[in-house]
Amino acid sequence: MATVEDVLESVTQKQASKYKTIEVQKDIEPQLDLGNLLTVDQNPLELKKFRADKEAYLKSQARDNTQLLFNAIWKLPTERVEEAICVKLPETTTVLPREKPIPKAKPPTRWEQYALLKGIQKRKKGRMVWDEESKEWRPRWGYKRANDDTKDWVIEVPGNADPNEDQFEKRMKAKKERIAKNELQRLRNIARATKSKVPGVGLTPTEKPSKEEVGLALHLAKKSTASLGKFTEKLPKEKEAKHVGKKRKFEPAIGDFKKEKEQQLNIINVMENKKPKLDITKAVNRVIIQQDQDASDERRKRGGKVKNRRGPPRKKGAGGFGKKGKAGKGKGQKGMGGKGKGKMGKGKGKGKGR
């Protein structure tokens, strides 16, 4: 008769055969890349076991390497997130090729920034909710969702509503407005993150629209009629919108033959007139500029300095009638040819004044 110890020993042996130990011994320590959850085993294969049963041998090697990887992961610091134990993986050490770059983290929206500032935590809603009409659990969103009001075949008209108003159309219009509002809010978040303007046309809902934005929105609203604004009345003191494209006007294919004949004759006259129109003023200015440049080039070649002078250069030491000592070095108004210092010039001039 088997004793209690024998029974316990047999149970432990069965469990040991069913579950292997977490301690794995390798001759060569495998390389672990925890960032990529990668294990590189460089140990040589045991050919006898491999040839005897290939599948079982490969499964045992994969199991041992995976066990080593999990042993290294459990040594990392852990944290609890929504009733789940998570581990922050370190940086990768093995460079793996990628078709596209790593996606960047999305910038937080305005509501996410406000919730982070106020400490508001997001509560996860359940996927299934109770439907009162069908008396069963149904998805909150999507196909066959619970409390789906689009399947109603009759809608009660409120007491304060117009009895001739289509409530189905009103409900569909409200849904489209909600969708458009959500899309606009999404574009605003993207524009705020990238520091750019909100895409779209017309007047986007802003706190303080500018005068040009209001004028553009008014122009687009007028053009949205069936007649493209042809019969829309203008407001008093209304001005035309700026930066608005104008429709091109084409001549009719048939109609005014006299006007068409004049256009064709003008084209022929331009083609026959080989001499282009001459702008005399422009041509004269070009010639004067060219002459000045040639003169300055000649002076540079001679080694002289080029100065801007209004009149012809004066000769050195030219004695004359002595206009305040500019020519000779005389004193007085008439300078009698004596040697002295003039008021303006410094050259030595010899002349006989009258």
Side-chain angles (χ1 to χ4, degrees), residues 230-243:
K230 186 176 181 180
F231 303 104
T232 307
E233 296 181 357
K234 288 188 177 182
L235 298 174
K237 298 182 181 179
E238 181 183 353
K239 296 181 180 179
E240 293 292 334
K242 295 182 180 179
H243 308 293

Side-chain angles (χ1 to χ4, degrees), residues 44-46 49-50 53-62:
L45 297 176
E46 297 182 9
K49 294 182 180 180
F50 180 74
D53 192 351
K54 186 187 296 184
E55 294 292 332
Y57 179 75
L58 293 177
K59 285 182 180 179
S60 65
Q61 292 296 319

Side-chain angles (χ1 to χ4, degrees), residues 164-306:
N164 298 323
E165 186 180 12
D166 190 355
Q167 298 298 324
F168 291 97
E169 184 180 357
K170 183 178 179 181
R171 181 177 289 181
M172 292 298 295
K173 186 177 180 181
K175 182 179 179 181
K176 289 181 180 179
E177 289 179 355
R178 289 196 302 270
I179 294 172
K181 183 180 179 181
N182 292 336
E183 180 66 15
L184 178 63
Q185 193 64 32
R186 184 183 71 85
L187 296 176
R188 276 185 174 178
N189 291 329
I190 295 173
R192 190 183 297 109
T194 57
K195 296 181 180 180
S196 58
K197 295 182 179 180
V198 181
V201 295
L203 180 64
T204 53
T206 54
E207 296 179 358
K208 295 181 180 180
S210 63
K211 188 177 180 181
E212 292 183 358
E213 291 177 347
V214 175
L216 181 59
L218 179 62
H219 175 75
L220 293 175
K222 286 186 175 183
K223 293 290 184 180
S224 62
T225 59
S227 61
L228 299 178
K230 186 176 181 180
F231 303 104
T232 307
E233 296 181 357
K234 288 188 177 182
L235 298 174
K237 298 182 181 179
E238 181 183 353
K239 296 181 180 179
E240 293 292 334
K242 295 182 180 179
H243 308 293
V244 178
K246 295 182 179 180
K247 189 175 180 181
R248 294 186 299 173
K249 294 182 179 180
F250 298 95
E251 297 294 335
I254 57 174
D256 195 352
F257 294 100
K258 185 177 180 181
K259 189 175 181 180
E260 184 178 357
K261 182 179 178 181
E262 291 178 357
Q263 291 178 352
Q264 298 295 333
L265 290 173
N266 290 333
I267 293 172
I268 294 172
N269 291 333
V270 171
M271 294 174 64
E272 289 181 352
N273 190 10
K274 296 182 180 180
K275 295 182 180 179
K277 293 182 179 180
L278 180 62
D279 190 351
I280 299 175
T281 306
K282 190 174 182 181
V284 171
N285 291 335
R286 283 190 178 182
V287 171
I288 293 173
I289 292 171
Q290 188 65 31
Q291 290 177 355
D292 293 341
Q293 289 179 356
D294 295 341
S296 61
D297 293 339
E298 289 180 1
R299 292 194 189 105
R300 287 195 187 93
K301 289 179 181 179
R302 294 174 183 174
K305 295 182 180 180
V306 180

Side-chain angles (χ1 to χ4, degrees), residues 57-255:
Y57 179 75
L58 293 177
K59 285 182 180 179
S60 65
Q61 292 296 319
R63 181 262 164 197
D64 293 342
N65 292 328
T66 306
Q67 184 64 56
L68 290 173
L69 181 64
F70 273 93
N71 291 344
I73 290 174
W74 280 110
K75 293 179 181 179
L76 297 174
T78 60
E79 59 179 352
R80 185 175 293 276
V81 178
E82 295 182 359
E83 300 180 359
I85 300 175
C86 300
V87 176
K88 187 176 181 180
L89 299 177
E91 294 293 333
T92 59
T93 57
T94 304
V95 180
L96 298 178
R98 288 181 61 92
E99 181 185 1
K100 297 179 180 179
I102 300 174
K104 298 180 181 179
K106 293 184 178 180
T109 61
R110 193 172 181 179
W111 163 250
E112 290 175 350
Q113 293 176 357
Y114 176 77
L116 182 63
L117 182 64
K118 296 295 183 181
I120 302 174
Q121 296 182 356
K122 184 179 180 181
R123 295 181 181 179
K124 190 175 181 181
K125 296 182 180 180
R127 181 176 176 273
M128 307 297 289
V129 293
W130 180 256
D131 189 6
E132 294 293 341
E133 295 183 0
S134 60
K135 304 297 181 181
E136 61 181 1
W137 293 93
R138 286 191 174 185
R140 187 184 297 272
W141 304 282
Y143 179 64
K144 289 186 178 181
R145 63 181 181 273
N147 305 319
D148 187 8
D149 56 356
T150 60
K151 303 295 182 180
D152 296 339
W153 61 276
V154 63
I155 301 176
E156 182 180 358
V157 180
N160 57 352
D162 186 6
N164 298 323
E165 186 180 12
D166 190 355
Q167 298 298 324
F168 291 97
E169 184 180 357
K170 183 178 179 181
R171 181 177 289 181
M172 292 298 295
K173 186 177 180 181
K175 182 179 179 181
K176 289 181 180 179
E177 289 179 355
R178 289 196 302 270
I179 294 172
K181 183 180 179 181
N182 292 336
E183 180 66 15
L184 178 63
Q185 193 64 32
R186 184 183 71 85
L187 296 176
R188 276 185 174 178
N189 291 329
I190 295 173
R192 190 183 297 109
T194 57
K195 296 181 180 180
S196 58
K197 295 182 179 180
V198 181
V201 295
L203 180 64
T204 53
T206 54
E207 296 179 358
K208 295 181 180 180
S210 63
K211 188 177 180 181
E212 292 183 358
E213 291 177 347
V214 175
L216 181 59
L218 179 62
H219 175 75
L220 293 175
K222 286 186 175 183
K223 293 290 184 180
S224 62
T225 59
S227 61
L228 299 178
K230 186 176 181 180
F231 303 104
T232 307
E233 296 181 357
K234 288 188 177 182
L235 298 174
K237 298 182 181 179
E238 181 183 353
K239 296 181 180 179
E240 293 292 334
K242 295 182 180 179
H243 308 293
V244 178
K246 295 182 179 180
K247 189 175 180 181
R248 294 186 299 173
K249 294 182 179 180
F250 298 95
E251 297 294 335
I254 57 174

